[in-house]
């Protein structure tokens, strides 16, 4: 499973990229608003993210009609070959994704909450589909089980004929709230987990690692002071 960072914060992206484990970035309008982003800076900001990470960068379309989504998608894709256009799973989104995929533009279908939505995303030519885990948990439902169903259902078929350059759709576990969700995503066979920076940090940490380091440090001092 690959790790993407789910943020628009350049500092977080630069830091995570320096760890050598970052395979991509996903953003959305809320994440850009959270860092105080302005519309006039958006394209420059997306380019800056692309400069920081060696991998796909999802930038979301905010249009609702298919023609507008396609136009916005083309403009976003023109910013960098790394850009993947994020499009919600709606009727208009599916039609726009088909059009963009036919032009060779990679799409990440977002706001996916069910198996039928995921299969439709694949059939529309999306390169990625993003089932949201945490938002199910927010309403006391089982997000991991939905994710598992989606991974299994997509795995039942050869969908390589649907997408851009016959690349098979990859499942991005999104709306990840904690390291437990990352474990579940990996065990369920998600291709990618896109995680907030605080979750990435939590994934590195373990109290037994800290305790072990303390013990090694104390014992090494005995060696060096002997
Ligand atoms: C996915 O790409 C979304 O940007 C994101 O994971 C949504 O997460 P949230 O439910 O924490 O807003």
């Amino acid at each position: 499973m690959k790790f993407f960072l789910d943020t628009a914060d350049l500092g977080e992206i630069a830091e995570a990229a320096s760890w050598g484990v970052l395979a991509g970035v996903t953003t959305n309008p809320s994440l850009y608003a959270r860092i105080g982003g302005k519309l006039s800076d958006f394209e420059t900001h997306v380019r800056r993210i692309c400069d920081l990470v060696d991998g796909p960068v999802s930038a979301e379309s905010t249009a609702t009609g298919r023609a507008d989504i396609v136009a916005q998608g083309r403009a976003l894709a023109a910013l960098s070959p790394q850009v993947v256009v994020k499009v919600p799973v709606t009727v208009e989104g599916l039609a726009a994704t088909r059009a963009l995929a036919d032009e060779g533009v990679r799409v990440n279908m977002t706001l996916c909450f069910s198996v039928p939505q995921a299969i439709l995303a694949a059939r529309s030519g999306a390169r990625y589909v993003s089932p949201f885990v945490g938002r199910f948990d927010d309403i006391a439902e089982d997000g991991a089980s939905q994710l598992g169903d989606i991974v299994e259902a997509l795995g039942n078929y050869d969908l390589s004929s649907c997408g851009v350059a016959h690349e098979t759709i990859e499942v991005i576990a999104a709306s990840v709230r904690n390291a437990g969700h990352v474990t579940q995503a990996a065990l369920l066979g998600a291709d990618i987990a896109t995680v907030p920076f605080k979750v990435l940090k939590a994934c590195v940490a373990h109290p037994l690692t800290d305790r072990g380091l303390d013990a090694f440090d104390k014992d090494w001092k005995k060696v060096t002071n002997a």
Side-chain angles (χ1 to χ4, degrees):
M1 188 175 75
K2 289 172 275 191
F3 281 92
F4 286 4
L5 206 60
D6 197 29
T7 186
D9 186 305
L10 297 176
E12 291 179 349
I13 295 165
E15 175 61 20
S18 78
W19 298 0
V21 295
L22 191 60
V25 169
T26 52
T27 66
N28 65 35
S30 304
L31 293 170
Y32 188 58
R34 195 174 299 164
I35 60 155
K38 296 191 178 69
L39 179 60
S40 55
D41 297 336
F42 183 65
E43 293 191 350
T44 306
H45 196 81
V46 171
R47 281 200 196 92
R48 285 201 183 119
I49 295 174
C50 292
D51 288 342
L52 290 172
V53 64
D54 187 14
V57 173
S58 287
E60 189 153 340
S61 165
T62 50
T64 49
R66 65 189 76 179
D68 291 339
I69 298 172
V70 170
Q72 210 178 21
R74 284 180 187 140
L76 289 169
L79 296 176
S80 161
Q82 288 169 254
V83 168
V84 172
V85 181
K86 218 167 167 190
V87 176
V89 185
T90 60
V91 169
E92 295 305 301
L94 289 168
T97 298
R98 179 76 272 160
L100 288 167
D102 286 348
E103 293 177 16
V105 174
R106 291 178 301 165
V107 173
N108 170 4
M109 291 219 85
T110 189
L111 290 169
C112 175
F113 293 94
S114 74
V115 169
Q117 285 183 319
I119 294 172
L120 288 166
R123 287 287 167 204
S124 73
R127 177 67 183 80
Y128 303 94
V129 63
S130 294
F132 280 36
V133 177
R135 291 195 195 184
F136 268 117
D137 292 11
D138 293 345
I139 59 164
E141 290 190 31
D142 188 350
S145 138
Q146 285 289 340
L147 172 66
D149 286 350
I150 287 168
V151 170
E152 184 179 341
L154 293 180
N156 286 340
Y157 305 100
D158 176 5
L159 297 160
S160 55
S161 61
C162 305
V164 176
H166 298 291
E167 289 178 316
T168 302
I169 190 164
E170 288 187 282
V171 175
I172 304 178
S175 185
V176 169
R177 302 273 195 262
N178 51 55
H181 281 161
V182 175
T183 301
Q184 287 173 311
L187 293 175
L188 292 166
D191 300 290
I192 296 149
T194 190
V195 301
F197 188 50
K198 70 171 186 198
V199 174
L200 189 65
K201 286 192 283 188
C203 286
V204 181
H206 197 284
L208 291 179
T209 304
D210 295 340
R211 199 190 296 177
L213 275 172
D214 274 352
F216 288 152
D217 189 50
K218 281 188 188 113
D219 288 338
W220 192 243
K221 284 195 171 93
K222 290 178 201 161
V223 172
T224 55
N225 293 334

